[in-house]
Amino acid sequence: RKDGEDVITSFLEENFKGKISILKNQYGSANLVRVIVKGIREPFYFAVRKGVFMGSVHPELVTKAIDQLYLNIPSLAGSGFQKVETTTGKKVDANIYINFQLIRPFISNLLQPEQQSETYKLNWFADWSGLDVILKKDEMLINGFTTISDTASQYLGIFAGQSPQKTGMMSILPDNISRFTWMGFNTIGDYFRNFESFASKNQGYTDNYPGFQNFETREQVVVKDFMLPWMGSELCIARALNNPETLREDPYTIAKVNDRKLADSLLGEISKLFPKKKDSVSYHNIPIRNLPFPDLIPGLFGTAFSDIHSACYAFLGDYVVFANDLLALKDFIDHFTYGKVLYKDRTFQAVSEHISDQTNILYYFNTARTHATLKT
């Protein structure tokens, strides 16, 4: 019977025939295996001992892990790791542990250069996650627990005391969505107060939008007074692959609307404070209104929404959609009009069967539609 090391090396040799070089060196009670793949500059090192896989592009990290395992040295004593470690399952195919303060270099190596600057947000998200992985014939199920060490300065703390909300937005999100982050909260007021507290303790999260502050100062207004009164319990930042040939991916912000007349009125009042450049247009009998305020969404909700330079918006059902240009918003409306929405997408349906329809945060990532983001 093959042990873990042989299983891994056999898999690599079978799938990278003629393109791989594997060298084994004895290190203490284990082998340090060096893997070189043609076309990849950095070798990858791994070892397997007592059923534990240890791998890195830095061999010294693997040898250190071998030493700790051999000497039975507790790892990360007194940290959030111990909290999540006690929650992970023992009868699963794998456990994954994520340290949000240290994962940024790993994530950056997977992304295109223009996407890497955004990974600093991970440092603020939480403390640790412990995930159970169960493998099936054609799917992988992941479930776990995430902890925060500081409710005031870590992003997940924003949702402290918030009850899970129903994810109703899937009825309007296009079926060509590549990824989205959806947030649900009791009321926008509760969420925004927690967010302001979080942002005040994380420099750079909202204070790098001078256009937002200058607008409030020049017009003697408070922008949140035009936005929060009509907003409901759902907020989302989404990206859709609208042109697979050119890899054009358009970002959107979508918000639940509790009072359509009030939303229409207050957004119209903001628009009047800018010089009128274009008239509103109608598309599929849906009015598209101009709002040339690039810092509106990120200035209000932070750098997680930094790709939204809102130029126009439209009301679709119980939601309002903000887009960067008319073409992007028309693509969104096309999908809505013809019923090509996410909750009808078979891939998403297969995923949603295993997750609750009520949550506080939902992140969806479609690997097949994210060519422009991931390194090849």
Side-chain angles (χ1 to χ4, degrees), residues 204-217:
Y205 207 87
T206 57
D207 60 1
N208 54 349
Y209 297 101
F212 185 89
Q213 285 83 19
N214 292 342
F215 173 78
E216 289 193 321
T217 301

Side-chain angles (χ1 to χ4, degrees), residues 71 124 144 260 266:
L71 298 171
W124 302 335
R260 169 69 179 269
L266 291 178

Side-chain angles (χ1 to χ4, degrees), residues 3-223:
D3 61 19
E5 180 186 304
D6 291 335
V7 170
I8 294 170
T9 54
S10 296
F11 173 82
L12 293 173
E13 288 169 343
E14 290 173 6
N15 288 272
F16 295 91
K17 290 180 181 179
K19 299 181 180 179
I20 195 168
S21 172
I22 297 177
L23 178 65
K24 298 182 181 181
N25 290 309
Q26 183 75 26
Y27 180 83
S29 57
N31 285 326
L32 179 63
V33 184
R34 184 181 70 175
V35 180
I36 300 177
V37 180
K38 188 177 181 180
I40 299 179
R41 185 168 53 184
E42 287 187 302
F44 181 78
Y45 300 84
F46 77 88
V48 179
R49 176 173 165 76
K50 294 183 179 181
V52 178
F53 171 85
M54 299 156 279
S56 175
V57 294
H58 304 291
E60 63 274 13
L61 293 182
V62 181
T63 57
K64 184 178 179 180
I66 295 171
D67 292 340
Q68 283 189 282
L69 193 61
Y70 177 73
L71 298 171
N72 199 28
I73 299 173
S75 179
L76 302 166
S79 74
F81 171 78
Q82 292 183 321
K83 294 180 182 179
V84 298
E85 197 273 338
T86 60
T87 68
T88 52
K90 308 306 177 188
K91 296 182 179 181
V92 294
D93 292 299
N95 299 121
I96 298 175
Y97 298 98
I98 300 172
N99 183 332
F100 288 96
Q101 279 70 51
L102 299 177
I103 198 175
R104 184 183 179 189
F106 171 76
I107 296 296
S108 294
N109 284 332
L110 302 177
L111 303 176
Q112 297 288 1
E114 61 270 19
Q115 301 284 340
Q116 293 175 3
S117 62
E118 295 299 306
T119 59
Y120 73 91
K121 300 168 189 172
L122 289 169
N123 296 348
W124 302 335
F125 184 72
D127 193 19
W128 276 88
S129 282
L131 308 174
D132 296 334
V133 180
I134 298 175
L135 300 176
K136 295 192 175 183
K137 181 181 178 181
D138 57 355
E139 60 186 17
M140 179 171 63
L141 305 180
I142 300 177
N143 184 49
F145 178 79
T146 299
T147 182
I148 55 178
S149 57
D150 186 345
T151 57
S153 62
Q154 291 179 322
Y155 190 81
L156 271 188
I158 295 174
F159 297 91
Q162 301 281 352
S163 60
Q165 302 295 315
K166 188 173 179 61
T167 54
M169 197 177 290
M170 310 310 137
S171 63
I172 71 158
L173 287 177
D175 61 3
N176 66 336
I177 286 290
S178 55
R179 61 197 190 277
F180 69 77
T181 301
W182 177 96
M183 292 165 283
F185 29 77
N186 297 344
T187 66
I188 186 64
D190 294 336
Y191 169 83
F192 196 76
R193 279 189 294 273
N194 291 341
F195 171 75
E196 284 185 311
S197 176
F198 161 80
S200 69
K201 295 176 175 61
N202 290 281
Q203 186 177 6
Y205 207 87
T206 57
D207 60 1
N208 54 349
Y209 297 101
F212 185 89
Q213 285 83 19
N214 292 342
F215 173 78
E216 289 193 321
T217 301
R218 183 180 70 248
E219 301 296 337
Q220 292 295 292
V221 297
V222 178
V223 171

